[in-house]
Amino acid sequence: MRRGPGVSETLAKDDVTVIIWVPQRYVTTVECAAKAHEAHVRGLTCDGLELDVRTPRLNLDDVHAHVEINGNLDMEIDCASIDGRIDVNQLSSTSRITVPKGVSIAVLTHGLRTRTIVGAGVRQDEDSPNIVELNGVASELIVEGR
């Protein structure tokens, strides 16, 4: 990134917003790697979305895909809607994911020293097509309804 005079590295990092419009009729899968203060994915329909993100906050809104979130930071993941599968793959982290109240989800946990805590407002159904899965090592995922 080129900066003009008077624009510091800190200012450039704090004030940069990147918006990517994806022509969905040509997309089957999307992979994205990013380091950001927060990340938002809105209005995306595809077979798979893989996010290698280093961010404390991730928002998913109107996303219809098998979503894989890979990271090793504690994250706040907010799902305004859920349609499909969300895999949270993390190492030595504690993350929180909020899902819409009243929508049934199946909660799965795999890995070494991992655990999932399901909070109030989460309607669990092991046969639901909506799945939240934690994979990793020494990690925890808190699932809450909103």
Side-chain angles (χ1 to χ4, degrees):
M1 174 188 335
R2 290 175 36 150
R3 297 183 305 278
V7 178
S8 69
E9 180 79 17
T10 301
L11 183 61
K13 285 181 181 179
D14 288 344
D15 289 344
V16 171
T17 299
V18 177
I19 298 173
I20 301 170
W21 298 93
V22 178
Q24 292 189 46
R25 72 187 290 182
Y26 305 111
V27 173
T28 56
T29 61
V30 176
E31 293 183 30
C32 177
K35 179 179 177 185
H37 292 291
E38 60 185 69
H40 302 268
V41 180
R42 292 188 188 110
L44 181 64
T45 300
C46 62
D47 293 338
L49 170 63
E50 186 167 354
L51 300 170
D52 293 320
V53 291
R54 293 187 50 83
T55 181
R57 288 182 302 282
L58 173 64
N59 295 77
L60 302 173
D61 185 6
D62 194 26
V63 175
H64 308 275
H66 176 174
V67 180
E68 287 190 61
I69 303 164
N70 304 317
N72 59 357
L73 292 176
D74 295 350
M75 294 178 68
E76 295 283 335
I77 305 164
D78 181 39
C79 300
S81 60
I82 184 169
D83 179 26
R85 180 182 190 106
I86 299 174
D87 294 343
V88 179
N89 307 317
Q90 60 185 23
L91 300 172
S92 302
S93 301
T94 299
S95 294
R96 181 180 312 271
I97 185 168
T98 56
V99 296
K101 281 186 179 180
V103 175
S104 66
I105 63 167
V107 178
L108 305 173
T109 306
H110 298 286
L112 301 170
R113 299 185 323 273
T114 59
R115 79 177 183 156
T116 305
I117 300 169
V118 179
V122 177
R123 189 171 139 219
Q124 286 192 77
D125 177 0
E126 63 185 30
D127 297 322
S128 175
N130 301 314
I131 300 167
V132 173
E133 180 175 329
L134 171 64
N135 300 292
V137 177
S139 293
E140 183 175 270
L141 182 65
I142 301 165
V143 182
E144 295 180 326
R146 68 168 183 101

